[in-house]
Amino acid sequence: MFVIKKQSFSIQHLLNNQVPIPKELLTSYVSIGLDEKEVMLLIQLQRFMVERVDFPTPDQLTTFVTMKEQECAHLLRGLVQKGMLAIVQLEENDGKIKEAYDLNPLWDKLFQTEEETKQDSDTSEGTIFILFEQEFGRPLSPFEIEMINAWLDEDQIAPSLVKAALRESVLMGKLNFKYIDRILREWKKKGIHSVEQARMSSKQFHARQNAPRSEGSSQSTRNSSFYYNWLEGED
């Protein structure tokens, strides 16, 4: 005769006490500009929301983190300024208005970034060789193909960032692989891992190069178009 031993805990109770956190928050928070303290605050806010506490104070948060009240308040303000967190007004059943934290800006930014990364992986690696051939106006040599593959596979550079370096080389009128490689290595040294970071770096660089060009400059009209498109974020 078999005796079924009663479990000392309820599976349902355990499930009811889960806090749903997308794995993307744990795997991609660095890429959207968050650090560990900010992530922990966001997770605590999510937990409070599950418990129907929509607007926990910094003092309430300090009970569950190692940060002091002033630091919590500072980080919460920073998250709002970064566009990761919003403060909204909710109307209660009795008509009263209350403030609440809204994490939708975080999820929008996180999953938009994930989708852009997926699109880069799905499409750009296959077309990036065509883009290079179009810009160089000729088929790529085996050495050049190998170099592009090294950027993508060995250096783990996003296809969109390689494309950005190609644009930058066109802009500067220095369309050659050594120059593109130098751009990518410089970006890596500066900790640039996204197209938006590269765009900001490019803007800062060209702002310093403010000497007016003469009509006889080697910069062509076509390159000026790339300059405009690149800095404005158009493809």
Side-chain angles (χ1 to χ4, degrees), residues 19 21 25-26 29 34-48 61 64-67 72 75-76 79 103 106:
V19 177
I21 298 295
L25 178 60
L26 303 178
Y29 68 88
L34 295 174
D35 61 26
E36 285 76 11
K37 287 186 176 181
E38 291 169 322
V39 170
M40 180 50 65
L41 273 186
L42 291 167
I43 291 175
Q44 291 293 348
L45 289 178
Q46 173 72 357
R47 181 184 65 80
F48 271 106
L61 288 166
F64 306 98
V65 295
T66 59
M67 294 166 276
C72 283
L75 289 175
L76 289 170
L79 288 168
L103 289 172
L106 168 66

Side-chain angles (χ1 to χ4, degrees), residues 1 5 27 45 51 56-57 62 70 95-96 99 119 129 148 153 169 172 181 200 207 211-212 219 228:
M1 180 178 178
K5 185 178 180 181
T27 59
L45 289 178
E51 296 173 355
T57 65
T62 57
Q70 185 176 0
K96 292 182 179 179
E99 289 186 323
Q119 289 176 358
F129 298 97
I148 294 175
D153 299 331
S169 71
M172 298 303 295
D181 186 63
M200 291 303 299
Q219 182 77 3
Y228 172 79

Side-chain angles (χ1 to χ4, degrees), residues 117-131:
T117 301
K118 183 177 183 299
Q119 289 176 358
D120 282 343
S121 176
D122 289 345
T123 63
S124 294
E125 286 191 26
T127 60
I128 195 166
F129 298 97
I130 297 174
L131 291 174

Side-chain angles (χ1 to χ4, degrees), residues 25 44 53 76 103 112 114 119 123 128 144 159 173 177 197 226 233 235:
L25 178 60
Q44 291 293 348
V53 180
L76 289 170
L103 289 172
Q112 180 182 6
E114 287 292 310
Q119 289 176 358
T123 63
I128 195 166
E144 291 168 339
F177 273 78
Q197 290 174 326
F226 261 80
D235 290 325

Side-chain angles (χ1 to χ4, degrees), residues 190 198-209 231:
K190 292 181 178 179
R199 187 173 290 121
M200 291 303 299
S201 178
S202 181
K203 280 186 177 182
Q204 293 168 2
F205 173 78
H206 293 295
R208 294 193 295 268
Q209 309 297 312
L231 294 185

Side-chain angles (χ1 to χ4, degrees), residues 2 4 45 74 92 98 110 118 138 161 205 211 215 225:
F2 293 96
I4 300 176
L45 289 178
H74 174 74
E92 298 184 297
K98 69 173 184 178
L110 188 65
K118 183 177 183 299
R138 58 170 175 78
L161 205 58
F205 173 78
E215 292 184 1
S225 174

